[in-house]
Amino acid sequence: MNVLVVYCHPNPLSFNHAILETTVEVLKEQGHVVHIRDLYALSFNPALGPTDFQAFQSGQIPPDIAIEQEEIRWANRLVVIHPIWWTNMPALLKGYIDRVLFHGFAYTY
């Protein structure tokens, strides 16, 4: 099985990083193929801007979003690892969701 892990924590010494390492280790031991998308390491731009909407409306996808969507298409399972800050996910992860999982890719009406 192909498993995509989206990881969002800036501290490599965090408990979340330990969860990431353990998750990947166990999945690989079980024979799964694992890709990790570390949003901080990627310096992923979380800001959904006017150029994104213009691209979406013209049927184009910005390159950084296209890469993430291809990773999601590749995966049979998606694992998201992040801390809870102020009762929510980090803003970087929220921006990832807003930019990558947009209408027409992740859902339709």
Side-chain angles (χ1 to χ4, degrees), residues 17-70:
H17 195 80
I19 293 171
L20 171 66
E21 290 176 339
T22 302
T23 299
V24 170
E25 179 184 328
V26 169
L27 287 169
K28 287 182 176 182
E29 285 174 359
Q30 294 175 349
H32 302 293
V33 178
V34 180
H35 288 186
I36 302 168
R37 304 304 290 167
D38 181 337
L39 301 185
Y40 281 95
L42 293 169
S43 296
F44 185 81
N45 176 10
L48 179 62
T51 57
D52 290 331
F53 283 105
Q54 291 167 354
F56 299 155
Q57 290 173 346
S58 68
Q60 298 174 354
I61 300 171
D64 62 333
I65 295 173
I67 290 168
E68 300 309 313
Q69 289 181 347
E70 190 55 39

